[in-house]
Amino acid sequence: MSTSGIRNIYCIGRNYRLHALELGNEVPDEPLVFTKPSHAVVPMAGNVVELPGNVGEVHFELEIVLRIGRAYETGIDTELCIDGMALGLDLTLRDVQSKLKAKGQPWLAAKGFKSSAPLGEWLPYPGAAALAENEFVLLRNGEEAQRGKASDMLFDVSELIKYVGENYGLGVGDILYTGTPAGVAALHEGDQLQALWAGSPVGSCSVKLV
């Protein structure tokens, strides 16, 4: 899967109620947006992903990722903005994030480190209705770790596109991580991860802590 051409990476936090609650966070009343540098992206193509191993726990968060193929304009049909989808991991240095949150500081160190955005293969975008019907699953070492559906999002795809587009801008080459369901946990050395969309594998990698 090519990761070239990616510009801005927008991510949505706490977009699944149970995930917000499992981390002891309030459920937001509007989308919670943060960003990752484009250097965070690494393909999920059976490769080894090297992650920091000396700053506390690294948590996995599997998410539906949308690719923007047409710039957002006020009033546009948001479906026209999306030209592809994938599954991706929003990897998080959880202990680092907790310290930053306690100090009221930005999350960049916890969310934007190198290889913090492994990305599976791009698939045709099926439309919001079909997107909501299918489940996505993360397997860790062959066992189910997370399962979710777009229909469980607090803010649906159209709301996210409009919110990010109006407040920050969305252009060709931008991608949008749409939030993770419950079940996040710490990764361990040698973990084998596989992402499934509608039962089919769409990305895999193994973990090396350095």
Side-chain angles (χ1 to χ4, degrees), residues 121-193:
E121 64 182 89
W122 289 113
L123 306 171
Y125 177 64
L131 189 77
E133 292 175 359
N134 290 301
E135 291 186 317
F136 60 100
V137 173
L138 179 67
L139 300 179
R140 175 163 65 160
N141 304 323
E143 297 185 358
E144 183 176 313
Q146 286 186 281
R147 178 182 294 268
K149 295 179 71 174
S151 58
D152 293 331
M153 292 179 181
L154 294 172
F155 306 100
D156 64 25
V157 166
S158 179
E159 290 175 293
L160 295 178
I161 295 290
K162 182 176 180 181
Y163 185 89
V164 175
E166 290 285 353
N167 287 282
Y168 308 105
L170 273 174
V172 176
D174 293 346
I175 64 174
L176 179 64
Y177 276 68
T178 58
T180 195
V184 304
L187 290 167
H188 300 109
E189 175 72 21
D191 276 350
Q192 304 288 322
L193 303 177

Side-chain angles (χ1 to χ4, degrees), residues 49-131:
V49 177
E50 294 188 351
L51 302 171
N54 59 353
V55 287
E57 293 185 347
V58 185
H59 281 206
F60 57 78
E61 300 185 14
L62 186 67
E63 313 196 1
I64 294 171
V65 182
L66 305 176
R67 184 176 63 194
I68 303 303
R70 177 175 173 179
Y72 175 84
E73 303 170 17
T74 300
I76 194 174
D77 178 353
T78 55
E79 292 283 276
L80 299 177
C81 294
I82 308 167
D83 77 346
M85 64 158 288
L87 295 183
L89 289 165
D90 166 20
L91 299 180
T92 304
L93 299 178
R94 190 68 71 199
D95 296 330
V96 173
Q97 186 188 36
S98 295
K99 292 175 183 177
L100 293 171
K101 287 164 60 177
K103 296 177 181 178
Q105 295 178 350
W107 294 358
L108 181 62
K111 290 285 194 178
F113 57 96
K114 292 179 182 178
S115 301
S116 63
L119 195 56
E121 64 182 89
W122 289 113
L123 306 171
Y125 177 64
L131 189 77

